[in-house]
Amino acid sequence: MRVTLAEDSILLREGLVRLLAEEGHEVVAAVGDGDALLVSVAADPPDVAVVDVRMPPTHTDEGLRAALEIRRRWPGVAVLVLSQYVEKRYATELITADEGGVGYLLKDRVGQVDEFLDALERVGSGGAAFDPEVVRQLLARSSRADPLGRLTPRERDVLGHMAQGHTNASIAAHLHVSQSAVEKHVNAIFDKLGLMGAAGFSRRVLAVLRYLDS
């Protein structure tokens, strides 16, 4: 997989470059700010852009705004955002876009190499990968409004795993239930949220998140 990396911490950037190379990925470019990221993607679009949220000059949201710009200008380029914190407004805007190939991980998750690489593969293949803490905070905010309150605790568990990008089979394994039980919960969730028409894995997750943000 061809990866462009945007991270202002030289130490972390170089560490990720080495990790990705050791795992067989091609690092197309490694830059330290949002402007350089956009220039690099325009010159040689990668399969995935791994982007730090806070970069120079203000260290606020330059990276995330660059990620959104990439999604707008090069929809074929997947984006995996890394952040120290859950930036709720921008996270919602990013993950409720009408395409797959997006992810949002807290930086603590990068230290768990297997989870980081799994998220990279899922995003690069057009899927979704969202940090459980990001999903928890978005769902917590949405739970204050109906009809999410109509979901049972088990259905909320299933919805949380769906929003993280897990398949029904993966959810069944995590919750130690059968896949058919998960499918029943998913249908119940869509029914209660008025989303029975949603189809396709990534579209399903994004549709649910969009609804929860409404």
Side-chain angles (χ1 to χ4, degrees), residues 58-212:
T58 68
H59 295 278
T60 54
D61 58 8
E62 285 86 351
L64 197 43
R65 285 191 284 110
L68 292 169
E69 183 68 10
I70 290 171
R71 297 299 293 168
R72 186 183 70 80
R73 294 171 59 185
W74 300 282
V77 176
V79 171
L80 177 59
V81 172
L82 305 178
S83 177
Q84 294 278 13
Y85 313 97
V86 180
E87 307 280 357
K88 290 184 179 179
R89 182 168 68 88
Y90 287 115
T92 300
E93 184 175 350
L94 180 68
I95 66 182
T96 56
D98 195 24
E99 297 95 7
V102 293
Y104 193 117
L105 291 185
L106 295 182
K107 280 191 172 179
D108 289 346
R109 204 72 59 184
V110 177
Q112 301 172 35
V113 174
D114 289 344
E115 292 190 26
F116 168 67
L117 294 174
D118 176 67
L120 183 69
E121 292 287 347
R122 277 195 278 162
V123 170
S125 61
F130 302 115
D131 193 287
E133 179 60 19
V134 174
V135 174
R136 187 191 69 77
Q137 291 196 27
L138 292 178
L139 290 179
R141 179 181 61 170
S142 300
S143 65
R144 291 191 287 271
D146 287 331
L148 192 63
R150 298 171 58 195
L151 302 184
T152 66
R154 176 58 84 186
E155 288 165 354
R156 290 180 63 85
D157 287 342
V158 171
L159 180 58
H161 282 78
M162 286 166 53
Q164 292 170 39
H166 290 286
T167 64
N168 285 356
S170 178
I171 294 171
H174 278 82
L175 298 181
H176 305 291
V177 298
S178 67
Q179 188 168 332
S180 63
V182 172
E183 291 168 356
K184 289 181 181 178
H185 288 310
V186 170
N187 287 333
I189 291 167
F190 284 159
D191 185 31
K192 291 179 180 179
L193 299 185
L195 295 170
M196 287 301 291
F201 172 67
S202 294
R203 187 177 301 276
R204 176 186 69 178
V205 173
L206 298 175
V208 169
L209 290 176
R210 182 186 297 118
Y211 184 88
L212 297 178

